[in-house]
């Protein structure tokens, strides 16, 4: 017996002759005729308990367009965002684009497959008024929590439109039609393939009758009264003949949904080994039966689908690819990391549920699925992840800002293709490359927006150059000529750039292993490196390469900060439970933690230990916090060993501001910059300029500074003792993957002893400060110090970190060595 995935059963027009004659007699075939009005009234009564009102539209996508435009505001600001989940049909994002909105795509939660509520709320907090409308999707007809969205709408002043395309006939937990009386709009589909199968058409419902009345004008060219447009409008009216069919379907929808629910239950009983969507509400208007393949079979989905087709079972893959994986939306949307949607979309199968089936058919199809899996596995089609990639030139470990910056540097020089074609793989633990953890910070960058844009602007690769005009590039463009950009707003451009770099890498034969963690890197007997990586399911594979580049970033731990000695005493001993890492404060939610700690203290005092950008950024963040802290004079004290010094573009600018605390050793011989590497920049610089009263600036009375004189500085210890909160801004350590020798023992490396991880050529150093052959490092905490043509002041004693360096000279330095070593090997 054949089981097609979809077998439309709309009302038969041949059985509706009386209604057809009625339409012909009326002479009204569209324009909100009597059949449409009757259907809207009947739907309101039968599906929604007589609450609110309904509006019939030509199709659900048109309904979404007008509903989104209404909810986001008639006077739409450019760049207004529509927040929606990744796991939905393309129409959701297409409707947002047509409504003049930019989709903001978020991840889903793992059980119900609807938008992740934690990420929704984090994005609402991050983007604020830029989000004009939330567009939750009632995935596969489920009954999502509408009360929560009403609360979000009220709390954030944001519009809400529910994409309920598959939900006509769904009942919520109270047994009401899903959406009954909601204060916002829900848009349902009546497409022939839906459970509420008609032909083409849609229905909009809201408990707010005035909202429906306004939408009625919008779907009629914007005519509210007469034939003069007063609203943004299109023609989205439902024809009378389709309304007649919809009235007929309405009469049978309860029986249809009950029948399909019984098939759903039979599937659940017959497929105990497959994950399924968490049930919600009393009844779901089931269009098909979505199930997840076990993770180890995800790579064999196509083969399993083909095997089922040979057995007469039609299978879909809704929604794979999801929105974040589709080319149009990668070019036009802002896409957050979507590891859950990636994993679920990659494992999804949609099994048939049709009106012609019976519950007894479900176990038959389940048995055919089990047989297909068995045949594919027995045939050896299952991917053997343990096999090694044995002849690579380069493996990059870490696809965050530094790892992808190296690829950006190669792209700008026309060297990316040669690098990849020589044999290349990049490993990234997250589901998406590019941003790393930058999007989780609440501060502004110490890099200008112009620097972020320079990675793509005029890039030789057209797909990268186009990103200047991508929504992520336009977002960054808002901060040109400002004091840096919010780090949360740098993440979209870094991620979009990484997506394009990934495509280039794959196109030239390289491997991009996202969702994989590097466990260890071991020297092989022939002098190469074997990198062992594992995926989310714990399946491992080996990558063997001549070179390895470690770009895994830095980490700051409580133990590290507590152990640092300040004025001769370990900071943990001085501060105790009042100590908090700067990394915690600087992240999203960090200021809220500080508020909680200082909640019952009327005039709090804060000590910040350090002179780095992180230390000053922590002070800036607390000083400009809203709601603010009750800081009095000198309430925030910066304790530092080195003098606080600002960057200047040249000596004349420094002298014009009255800054003379520098000499020739503080001037970069290449650029002429004063304190090019050691000087504070952007927002941090502005605070220091005020603290030093430079350029006529007035100090902020809330801020004081104390330069630590040495181990016997009792005054420094007293400041810490009197503080209600102590913030340790004492740097980061490399988050380095273990490097092992041929015997499997860990190599002793320089950074283990607190020295720089790399030398002036970005080569990883061993414990005797000798380069480890074929091992390179880049990124935060690598310890690189610019030299020669890279410039920098002779007095600089720290390490230089910065996106511009990574995307240009430092990245180029590593790429040139990799290609040169490959050429030598070939010779």
């Amino acid at each position: 017996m054949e089981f097609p995935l979809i077998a439309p059963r709309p009302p038969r027009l041949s059985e509706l002759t009386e209604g057809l004659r009625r339409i012909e007699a009326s002479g009204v075939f569209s324009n909100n005729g009597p059949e449409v009005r009757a259907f809207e009234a009947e739907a309101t009564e039968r599906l929604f308990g007589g609450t609110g009102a309904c509006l019939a539209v030509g199709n659900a996508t048109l309904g979404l367009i007008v509903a989104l435009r209404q909810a986001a505001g008639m006077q739409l600001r450019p760049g207004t965002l529509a927040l929606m989940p990744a796991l939905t049909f393309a129409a959701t994002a297409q409707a947002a684009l047509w409504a003049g909105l930019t989709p903001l795509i978020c991840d889903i939660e793992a059980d119900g497959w609807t938008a992740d509520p934690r990420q929704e709320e984090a994005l609402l907090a991050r983007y604020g008024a830029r989000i004009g409308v939330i567009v939750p999707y009632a995935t596969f007809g489920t009954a999502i929590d509408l009360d929560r969205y009403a609360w979000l709408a009220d709390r954030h002043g944001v519009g809400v439109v529910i994409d309920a395309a598959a939900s006509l006939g769904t009942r919520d937990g109270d047994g009401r039609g899903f959406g009954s009386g909601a204060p916002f709009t829900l848009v349902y589909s009546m497409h022939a393939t839906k459970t509420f199968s008609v032909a083409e058409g849609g229905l909009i419902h809201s408990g707010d009758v005035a909202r429906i009345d306004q939408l009625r004008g919008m779907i009629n060219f914007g005519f509210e009264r007469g034939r003069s447009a007063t609203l943004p409008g299109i023609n989205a009216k439902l024809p009378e003949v389709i309304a007649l069919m919809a009235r007929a379907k309405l009469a049978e929808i309860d029986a249809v949904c009950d029948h399909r629910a019984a098939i759903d239950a039979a599937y659940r009983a017959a497929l105990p080994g497959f994950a399924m969507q968490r049930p919600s509400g009393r009844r779901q208007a089931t269009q098909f039966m979505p199930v997840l393949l076990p993770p180890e079979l995800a790579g064999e989905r196509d083969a399993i689908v083909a095997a089922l087709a040979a057995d007469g079972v039609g299978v879909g893959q809704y929604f794979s690819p999801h929105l974040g994986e589709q080319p149009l939306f990668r070019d036009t949307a802002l896409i957050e990391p979507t590891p859950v949607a990636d994993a679920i979309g990659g494992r999804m199968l949609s099994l048939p549920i049709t009106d012609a089936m019976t519950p007894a058919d479900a176990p038959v199809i389940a048995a055919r699925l089990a047989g297909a899996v068995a045949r594919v596995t027995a045939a050896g089609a299952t991917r053997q992840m343990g096999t090694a990639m044995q002849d690579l030139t380069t493996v990059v470990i870490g696809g965050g800002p530094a790892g992808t910056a190296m690829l950006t540097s190669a792209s700008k020089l026309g060297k990316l293709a040669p690098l990849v074609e020589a044999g290349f793989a990049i490993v990234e633990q997250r589901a998406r490359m590019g941003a790393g953890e930058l999007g989780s910070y609440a501060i502004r960058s110490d890099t200008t927006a112009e620097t972020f844009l320079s990675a793509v602007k005029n890039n030789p690769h057209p797909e990268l150059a186009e990103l200047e005009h991508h929504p992520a590039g336009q977002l960054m463009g808002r901060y040109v000529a400002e004091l840096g950009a919010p780090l949360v707003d740098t993440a979209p451009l870094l991620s979009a750039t990484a997506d394009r770099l990934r495509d280039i890498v794959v196109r030239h034969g390289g491997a991009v292993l996202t969702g994989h963690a590097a466990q260890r890197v071991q020297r092989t007997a022939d002098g190469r490196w074997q990198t062992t990586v594992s995926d989310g399911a714990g399946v491992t594979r080996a990558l063997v390469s001549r070179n390895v580049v470690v770009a895994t970033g830095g980490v700051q731990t409580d133990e590290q900060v507590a152990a640092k000695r300040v004025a001769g005493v370990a900071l943990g001993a001085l501060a105790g439970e009042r100590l908090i890492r700067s990394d915690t404060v600087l992240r999203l939610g960090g200021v809220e933690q500080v508020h909680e700690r200082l909640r019952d203290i009327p005039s709090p005092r804060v000590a910040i230990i350090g002179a780095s950008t992180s230390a000053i950024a922590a002070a800036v963040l607390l000083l400009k916090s809203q709601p603010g802290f009750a800081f009095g004079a000198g309430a925030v004290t910066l304790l530092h060993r080195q003098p606080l010094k600002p960057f200047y573009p040249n000596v004349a600018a420094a002298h014009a501001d009255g800054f003379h605390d520098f000499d020739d050793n503080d001037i970069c011989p290449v650029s002429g910059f004063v304190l090019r590497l050691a000087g504070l920049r952007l927002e941090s610089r502005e605070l220091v300029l005020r603290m030093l009263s430079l350029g006529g600036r007035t100090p902020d009375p809330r801020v004081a500074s104390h330069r630590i004189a040495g181990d016997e500085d009792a005054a420094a210890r007293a400041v810490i003792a009197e503080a209600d909160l102590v913030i340790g801004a004492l740097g980061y350590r490399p988050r380095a993957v273990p490097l092992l020798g041929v015997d499997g023992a860990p190599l002793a490396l320089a950074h283990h002893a607190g020295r720089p991880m790399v030398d002036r050529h970005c080569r990883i150093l061993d414990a005797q400060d000798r380069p480890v052959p074929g091992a390179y490092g880049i990124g935060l905490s690598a310890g690189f110090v610019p030299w020669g043509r890279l410039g920098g002041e002779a007095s600089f004693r720290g390490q230089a970190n910065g996106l511009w360096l990574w995307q240009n000279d430092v990245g180029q330095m590593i790429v040139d060595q990799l290609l040169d070593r490959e050429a030598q090997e070939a010779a």
Side-chain angles (χ1 to χ4, degrees), residues 386-397 422-425 427 511 513 520-533 541-548 774 821-822:
T387 59
M389 297 175 68
Q390 294 285 352
D391 193 24
L392 298 173
T393 295
T394 301
V395 169
V396 177
I397 303 172
F424 179 89
V427 180
L513 302 179
R520 64 186 181 277
V521 182
Q522 184 171 354
R523 176 71 79 185
T524 63
D526 61 357
R528 295 186 293 173
W529 294 103
Q530 178 172 296
T531 302
T532 302
V533 301
R541 70 189 305 178
L543 315 175
V544 180
S545 60
R546 287 188 282 282
N547 306 294
V548 63
R821 196 160 188 262
E822 169 64 13

Side-chain angles (χ1 to χ4, degrees), residues 202-528:
L203 188 70
I204 305 176
H205 171 73
S206 176
D208 184 344
V209 176
R211 187 179 295 276
I212 294 295
D213 287 343
Q214 186 179 61
L215 285 169
R216 192 176 299 280
M218 293 178 71
I219 70 162
N220 186 31
F221 306 102
F223 298 157
E224 289 181 284
R225 295 168 299 277
R227 298 181 64 80
S228 180
T230 57
L231 299 167
I234 56 176
N235 179 12
K237 299 184 295 294
L238 186 73
E240 287 286 275
V241 171
I242 303 300
L244 177 66
M245 297 174 69
R247 293 180 69 186
K249 178 57 69 173
L250 184 62
E252 65 182 31
I253 189 59
D254 280 333
V256 169
C257 288
D258 287 343
H259 176 72
R260 288 176 172 239
I263 301 173
D264 180 293
Y267 267 125
R268 291 177 184 272
L271 292 168
F274 290 81
M276 301 178 190
Q277 186 181 26
R278 182 187 66 240
S280 180
R282 291 195 184 178
R283 184 185 70 189
Q284 191 162 328
T286 311
Q287 184 179 359
F288 41 72
M289 188 66 207
V291 300
L292 299 184
L293 288 170
E296 64 272 16
L297 293 177
E300 303 307 320
R301 181 173 59 177
D302 290 346
I304 292 168
V305 169
L308 280 168
D311 275 351
V313 179
V315 181
Q317 299 175 26
Y318 296 94
F319 294 102
S320 179
H322 63 64
L323 293 185
E325 297 170 327
Q326 296 178 32
L328 173 66
F329 308 123
R330 285 176 53 192
D331 290 345
T332 57
L334 298 180
I335 305 171
E336 291 293 303
T338 57
V340 180
D342 296 346
I344 288 177
R347 295 166 52 199
M348 185 74 72
L349 288 182
S350 305
L351 302 177
I353 290 183
T354 67
D355 295 340
M357 288 172 57
T358 70
D361 294 324
V364 174
I365 294 173
R368 294 186 188 182
L369 173 58
V373 169
R375 291 198 306 277
V376 168
T377 304
T382 301
R383 188 169 40 184
Q384 298 299 316
M385 291 297 288
T387 59
M389 297 175 68
Q390 294 285 352
D391 193 24
L392 298 173
T393 295
T394 301
V395 169
V396 177
I397 303 172
T404 53
M406 190 190 85
L407 301 185
T408 298
S409 175
S411 75
K412 294 167 76 170
L413 297 167
K415 297 180 179 180
L416 183 54
L419 176 68
V420 174
E421 289 168 355
F424 179 89
I426 185 167
V427 180
E428 167 55 39
Q429 188 166 5
R430 295 174 183 82
R432 194 179 184 198
M433 296 197 304
E437 297 185 9
L438 286 188
S440 66
Y441 284 89
I443 58 174
R444 282 182 173 251
S445 65
D446 60 356
T447 300
T448 65
E450 290 89 332
T451 294
F452 283 97
L453 288 168
S454 70
V456 297
K457 190 173 183 178
N458 299 322
N459 193 289
H461 293 265
E463 59 267 61
L464 291 171
E466 291 167 358
L467 288 173
E468 182 183 2
H469 308 293
H470 182 278
Q474 293 174 343
L475 176 62
M476 188 55 52
R478 297 181 181 182
Y479 302 108
V480 167
E482 293 190 13
L483 296 177
L487 284 178
V488 293
D489 287 344
T490 68
L493 180 58
L494 291 172
S495 296
T497 303
D499 288 344
R500 304 295 175 90
L501 289 168
R502 175 195 62 199
D503 292 346
I504 296 169
V505 168
V506 172
R507 189 165 65 246
H508 287 277
V512 177
L513 302 179
T514 51
H516 284 70
Q519 304 296 330
R520 64 186 181 277
V521 182
Q522 184 171 354
R523 176 71 79 185
T524 63
D526 61 357
R528 295 186 293 173

Side-chain angles (χ1 to χ4, degrees), residues 3 13 32 76 113 193 243 266 272 280 285 304 312 319 353 356 408 482 579 635 642 666 701 734 748 783 793:
F3 295 101
L13 283 172
N32 197 32
L76 201 60
W113 308 341
T193 59
S280 180
I304 292 168
F319 294 102
I353 290 183
T408 298
E482 293 190 13
L579 180 62
Q642 301 300 322
D666 296 316
E793 62 271 25

